[in-house]
Each structure stands twice: as C-alpha cells, then as structure tokens.
Amino acid sequence: MMVRRLPPTMVLALAALYSLFPVVWLLIASTKDTGDLYGTSPFAITPDALPQFITNVERLFARDDGIYLRWLGNTLLYAAGGALGATLIAGLAGYALAWFPFRGRSTVFSVILGGVMVPPAVLAVPLFLMFGKVGAANTVWAVLLPSLVSPMGVYLARTFAESAVPADLLEAARLDGAGEVGIFFRIVVRLMSPGLTTVFLFQLVTIWNNYLLPLIMLKDSDLFPVTMGLATWQAGILQDSSLNVLVIIGSLVSTVPLIVVFASLQRFWRADLAAGSVK
Amino acid sequence: MKLKQVLVAVIGGLAVSIAGCGGNSASTSDSGGSPVPTRSKAGDGPVTLSFMTFNAAMKDAAALWNARHPDVQVKVEEVPAGIKGGYDKMRAAAKAGNPPDVAQLEYQVIPSFLVDGSLADISSYLPADAADRFVAWTWAQVSLAGGPAAVPLDQGPMGLLYNKKLLDKHKIAVPSTWAEFEQAARALRKADPKAYLTTFDPTDATWLAGLAWQNKAKWFETSGDAWKVSVDDSATKEVLEFWERLVKEDLVKVEPVYTPAWNADLQKGVVASWITAVWGTGTLASAAPGGSGQWSVAPMPQWRAGEKAAGNYGGSSAAVFKDSKHQKEAAEFAYWLATGAEPQELFIEKQGAYPAALSAQGLKVLEQPSKYYGTNFFPLFAEAGAHVDTTFRWGPTMIQAFNRIADAVSDATNKKGSLVAAISAAQQQIVHDIEAQGLTVG
Amino acid sequence: MTARTARYGWAFLAPFLCLFALFFVAPIGYAGWQSLHQVRRSGLGFGGSAEVVFTGLDNYGAVLQDSAFRSALLRVVVFALIQIPVMLAVATLLAVILDSGLVWLKRLFRITIVLPYGVPAVVAALMWTNLYAPQLSPLNDLLRSDQPNLLSERWIMVAIGNVATWEFMGYFMLVLVTTLQAVPRSISEAAQVDGAGPLRIALFVKLPLLRPSLIMAITFSIIGALQLFNEPAVLRSASTAISADFTPNMYAFATTFNGAQPYLGAAQAVALAAITFALSIVFMRGTRRWSEA
C-alpha cells in the first residue's frame, strides 16, 4: 500500500521542485548585498546570509519613507478588492447563463467569450481617455473599476455552475418557495465555491500582473501597485545601484501575500460539500 | 462562514484605503483631465509643479529647489525609463490634456514630442542670451521647432573605459584607432580565449547611433517641409562593416549591456572595455564595484589617426509642456536644473553626468579625481564633447526607428550575417514609418 | 416560469453586462473606430497639427500584407502547437495524480505547484534572466559550458516556452483537479469494485471526464499563446534574439506606443483578436462532440 504511493509522489515532488527552483534562487539572492550578488555563485549561501537578509528587509521598508508598504497596500486593494467584486459579479452572471434559459442567452455568451480574446493593450489607452474626461484618471477607481470585469471569470463560473449545481436541487429549492437571490447566496455559492475560488484566484492574479493599465492611468507613485514600483526601481538601477538589492528583496516580499492567499483559500477547494444535499 | 469574514475584512480595508487615498489626491496638482486651471495667477497661493523623470537623483534636486522656493514647489513623479514605458506615459498624459509641467526627455525623443504638439515654446521665460550659455549642438537639439521647448541638462560625449589591469597583464596597448582596436581584440582573444576586448550590443540603437555619429554620419535632415532619412549612409556603413567583421571572427562578445550577465562579465574579466559616454563611468563603477583601481579612461578610438572625433550617447533635457498651467515657473525650474551649481554638482557627483551648460562646466567638482578610475576623467570627456559633430539630428519617430535598427542589426548579428544589409533594410522601414505618420520624406 | 426565469436571468447578468459594456465594449468600439482611420500631417509635423482621415479597411490591408506581422503570427502558432500539448499533458498528469489520493502531502504539493502562477511578470523576469544567462545560470555552471545559451536565437523559443509552462502548469492543474473532485466518488468506487487499478481508473474513467475541462483549457491556452506578450517582453532586455515585433501582440503595442501610430496599432490588435476568435471557434466547434460530456 505504501509502496504504491511512492512513484506518484515522486512525480509531484519533481513538479514541485521545478516550480520552486526560481523562487529558491530569489530567496538566496535576497540574502546577499550588491557585491556578493554577482560575485558568488547563484545558489551559494554566504555565511552572513541571515543578518544580511534582515538588513535588506529593513532597507526595503525604509526606502522613501516606506513607500514599499504603501505599494503593497495598493496592490492588495486593487487585486483583492477587484477580484472579490469581479468574482461576485462573474458568479452571478455565470449562474444566470447556466441555469436561466432566456432568449439571446447564447448570443450574450458568445459576446462575453469574445471579450476574453481582447488583448489588454487595446483597452488601456481608450480607458485612459475615458477616465481622463471625467477627471478620474490617476485615482484608485481608474484601476479598480475596470478590474471588476472578468469575461474569463464568467466563462469559468458558467462551467462550474453547470457541473456543480444539480438540477433537482434547484427544483427542490424553488418548490420550497425560496427566492432566486436567496437560492444563489445560500445554496449555489456554497456548491460553486471551488469554482468561485478559482475565478477569484484567476482575477486576483490577472489584476496583480496587469502592468499596462496602472502604468498609463497612474501618475502618483503613492498609488502604484507593487509591480509598477518594482519596475520603476529596476529602471533606476543604472543611476542608483543600491536599488538592485531592493528590487530583489522587494520581489521576494511581494510573493508572500500571494502565498498567504493561496494557502488560506485551500479550504474552498473541497467538492464534497454537495454530497448529501439532494434528497 | 469564512467567506463572510473575508468579505468584511476586505470591505473594511477598502473603506480605510479610500479614505486615505482621498486625502492624498487632494493635495496633488492634477488628478484628471480638468480643463479649468486651478492655480494660475501669482499671489494665489503656492504653485505646484509636477516633474516626470526616471532619474532618482531628481528627487534630491527638487528638494533643494523646494527649500529655496516656498512659492513654487516641485513634486517629482518617478516613471520607468523611457524604453520601459516612461515616454508612453508622458505622451498619453499629454494627449489627455493632462501632462506634467516638466519632464526629463532625452534628446532623441524631443522630435516625437514636437510632432505630438505637446511641448511649449519657452523662449520668453529664459534669459535673452540663453542660447549662448549651452553647448551649441545641445541647444540645437531642443530648438527644432523654432524656439526652445526644453533646457539641455547634460550630454554624453563618448570615450573608452578599459580594464587597465587586464590589458597590461597581456601586454596589449590601449588602441587609439579602430585598426589598432581590431588588432588589440585579436591579441586578447589569443592571449586569453575566455576574454573579449569589448561587448557589441546590437540591441542598443542609441549606442550604434553614437558610433555612427563619431564618423560624421547624418541620419536625419530636414529640407524645407520634407524629412530626409539616411540611416544607411556611407559613414554608417563603414562603421557597421567594421563591427560585422569583429562579430564574424568572434573578436567581440555579443550581448545586451546593463544586464546582470554583463555585470558578471565585467567583474570576471571576460569583457575588458566599454565604449560609452561620460555617465557610463558611474554605471560601470556600480556594475563592477570590485574593479576599483583596475579600470582607466581613454579617448574613443579614431577612424583616422590623429583625429579627435567623438560620438554622443545619451544626454537629456528638461522639457516644458504646452498644456502646463505654469509654463513660466516650469521653465525657470528647468533652467535652474541645467545651470544651477547645486543641482549640477549633484548630478556630476552622483552620476558622472557632464553638463550641457557652459557655466556648469567650470564647477570645481569636475576637478575631483575619481577613486575608481584613478584619475580625473572629466577633461578627457570635455575634450571629446568639443569634437562632437554639431549637425547630427534626430528624426520624428525615434523610438520606433530605434526598434527597427536594433531588430535588424540584432537579427543579422545573431545569424552572423551582413550588418550593412540590415541597416539598409531598417532604412526602408523607417522611411515607411515616417510616411505612415502622414509626413513627407524627400 | 419562463418569464420569471428570463427576468432573473437578465437581472443577475446586469451588473456584469453594465461594467462589460462600459469597460470592454466601449474601448473596443473606440479601437475599432480608430482602426478605420489614419492621420495626415503637414510639413515637418511639428506643432501637432494632424488631420484624422477615414480610410476604411486600408489599415487592415497593410496589416495583412506586412510580412513582419505574418512572421510574428506564424511564430505564435508554432509556439502554441508545441507548448500547449506539453504543458497540458503535464498538468493533466499532475491533476490525475493529485486527485487519486495516492500521495502524501497533497496540500503542500498543490500550493507549491500553483505558486508560479501568482508570480508577477516583473518578478518572473528577474528570476529567469538570472537563471538563463550563461554567466549566471546554475545549468551552465553544472555543464561547465556556455552552451546551451538559452537566451540565444537558437534556444529562445524553448526559453519562452519554459517560462510560460512554469507559470501556468500549476493553474491548469488546479482547474483540472477541481473538475475531477466534483465527480462523485461513486463512479470511481464502482470501477474499483469492478477490479480496476488506479492506472486503469485514471485512463478510462477520469480522463474522459476531464474532456470538457481540457477542451476549455486548450481553448484558453490557444488564446493565451496567440496573444503572447509578457514572457517575451520581459526576456527582451536580456537577449539579442527578441525583436520589438516578435509576437503580434508585441507588434501592436510597439506600433501604438513606440511608433505613435495608434490607428495602425488598433488595426493590428483588432486583427489579432479576430484571428484568435476565429481559431478558437474552429477548435471549439471541431471538438464539440467531445466537450459535451
């Protein structure tokens, strides 16, 4: 029995190593200062790794009156706030497309699917001009509002709604006299939670990674997400080489919130919630 | 259950952040395309200028200004370097009618901003003899459309930074002509198969331009209402033929500079020199901190023995935007950045920048010897600066033109093909690009 | 029932559709309008006086005749044909293993394999340019040689493919595992009772059930591959082998921003979107009988 577990576990372990390997590089690189960075071998750990790491972290948060912390906060706002809103909206839409037959449903779905194909670069400048006209460029909303729209999220939500919600359950709830809104929030969301979590995660990462929109919209470095902040620092290395270390340690620290999010969302990927609810 | 808690936390966080952001954005000057000027008259309260730049030292310079000018405060907005989106941002902002007041523009992109129509004519805000206070060719670069639209900040006369320790070890003399350079390259390869005399970076079109500039190439000219493009003129071809030979015979290392890999090569003695501008002294010192005392500076190798020609690589200006509500104050700030002793000393010391303003060229700080290079290198670059061809001009679509050149030359370099053919292909594309802008190419 | 259904259907769709119209359809409409126009300037062009002229489908003609655009398109199509099967084969294998319950430390593996998905492009660029450059790479260090230089023209497509696979393998594994876990245990239990071992269950029970999700995954991978931008863009500063117009999406970006030709750039972007749409529809229609499980 135990032996059967070994080969599959080894395969997963290999995949995990492959995934972690660059992150390990980053971890080790953030324990070095500028001189050691390219002077020593990439995976070599220097004797003063730990104190240097702490120094680097201190420098990171001290730079420019703690602008990095502000950037992290902004990213959290844009990504988590945006993803939460987007998931709710996409979940509603996906559920509607899956379980509410109405005329024009497939056309609407095709149009939404078309939205997935649009390269973000096409949207950035027109959006900027639009927000500029109402004086809302260079604000939090300029990045947050467009992030609430996730055509991909709707597609995913529809797929998960179709497979996770049993038709007889809906029938039963409706016969019991439950309101549609109530059905959605009390029953469907629970059933779809693994799917909705995937949508949330997808949109979180999409927003987190979206470089072009914040670049064009935002002027104040106070409003930057951490990706833009790091990119600005990286471009400034030519003139200020101390930024080299900050970019590396900043990159490392920026992955931490995501790890935390991933870990805490693990519990939503349990699909046995649906068991036993159909009589 | 958990979902609810998460929701509450995020919404709470959102509320707090928005309250915070709301307070913040009220204190910045512009927050959207508002067409009505809010602070336009003197005596109406302090003026706030927004200054977009990718130079980290500008913050310190602005702080110096702010301390002395309580009525005109400068707020620095850091943007990524030009090629990484900084200029895109400035142009998009200008298109939306909401540009910064001042921006740091390298000379090669000024024509593009002029074609956008986004820069102001600041001649009325500067001293009457301002033109005479700057190195002639830099003034020409900022005055393409009549009056100046920007104030030249610095220039990039080129020279040769070389690893003296390495060359001495292999008894290779510092080359003074390109023919000697080729010989030195061969000698080094023979002496140490792992080392190369220098890097050839085909992705850096501005650098390629500098090399062609030294040989008196004339890439862009205007004739009446038409542009003339000759990126593949004979001077440029001569330069590229030379480098093509070096690449084909594996005498130079082909890789992009300003990368960690290149830093490692400098540190480990794999690359023994760098043909670069004066500000490159700072870059190299940061790239190879352990090399202090090993590197030295020499003039750029010449095409004909005894000449002193030099190319220019980089250099920037402080430009004022037409839609700025405070053009006068912006121009004064730009002029101060370029000619003020304090800001110029800052740039010279921190970055090895060489001023375009004639008055700043007499600053004492330019006489300090450099610990890294064992000597004061500024006189050498000043001399080079005096021999930069003053008639070189940039075209109206430089960023795109640089892409065309870099892509063509890189592709040919990778395939060890003809760089001369590549530049001719790029020439065709650039002409086509300019015509696609609705302009005439003569 | 039908009227009520329709009302609620639209009501639930409304929030999304409003935002979609505002932030997607409107900008795309604008880009579409742009793609039908060109700009004419006079003289040297200084001063910004420009006339915007309606030119119909001229821009699209230029795009389709542009050999650089066609090369870029071919490049991403070939990329898709190789990278997608590799990535999804691995993702499927990992998903089936993870779902089979035959492993220890399931949660740990799930997090670590999905982690790359959350790494922003800026950070991934930093990591991979340091891991690929022969001077710095542990691989080259191990082989004690400058070859293979993964940033050279020869290997750059492999390098980009590797980064893309590294980034998305875990995400697709997650999507597939989610689908597998929604399958009632009763089905695999029944197969076990019938005497099937885990391998047979995987091949003949689970894989077929994964078909709809796989079709969806392939469709989205096709879209992602055709619109490839981030991975080559971030490697560009470290390699001499990536041009500004390496992929169609990069080309559209360069045209719009670097080339200050938003009208032509809009046409390139719209053309790319249309081609992507067409190829995806063809794929989905072609596999329709498999996607309806």
Side-chain angles (χ1 to χ4, degrees), chain C residues 97-121:
Chain C
I97 292 179
L98 204 58
D99 179 66
S100 69
L102 281 182
V103 292
W104 298 299
L105 308 171
K106 205 163 77 163
R107 281 199 184 180
L108 181 68
F109 283 132
R110 190 163 54 193
I111 291 190
T112 53
I113 297 175
V114 176
L115 185 64
Y117 177 61
V119 173

Side-chain angles (χ1 to χ4, degrees), chain A residues 121-195:
Chain A
V122 182
L123 302 174
V125 176
L127 279 176
F128 176 71
L129 295 174
M130 271 168 58
F131 274 90
K133 280 211 174 4
V134 298
N138 198 36
T139 64
V140 164
W141 300 108
V143 180
L144 203 48
L145 287 179
S147 306
L148 294 175
V149 185
S150 176
M152 175 72 155
V154 173
Y155 185 99
L156 284 172
R158 190 190 87 140
T159 313
F160 288 123
E162 272 176 353
S163 59
V165 180
D168 6 23
L169 182 62
L170 274 185
E171 283 283 330
R174 283 175 181 151
L175 282 175
D176 275 349
E180 293 293 347
V181 179
I183 293 180
F184 178 75
F185 281 103
R186 283 201 303 265
I187 304 177
V188 177
V189 167
R190 289 236 176 98
L191 289 174
M192 282 177 67
S193 68

Side-chain angles (χ1 to χ4, degrees), chain A residues 13 21 38 48 60 77 83 137 150 161 169 189 203 207 245 249 272 274:
Chain A
F21 162 75
Y38 300 111
D48 63 341
L60 177 69
L77 174 64
S150 176
L169 182 62
V189 167
Q203 193 60 4
I207 301 171
V245 171
I249 186 74
D272 50 321

Side-chain angles (χ1 to χ4, degrees), chain B residues 171-192:
Chain B
K171 303 207 183 8
I172 297 175
V174 181
S176 61
T177 66
W178 287 112
E180 286 174 18
F181 191 86
E182 187 175 344
Q183 286 169 354
R186 279 185 216 280
L188 185 59
R189 292 295 286 137
K190 219 190 212 159
D192 180 357

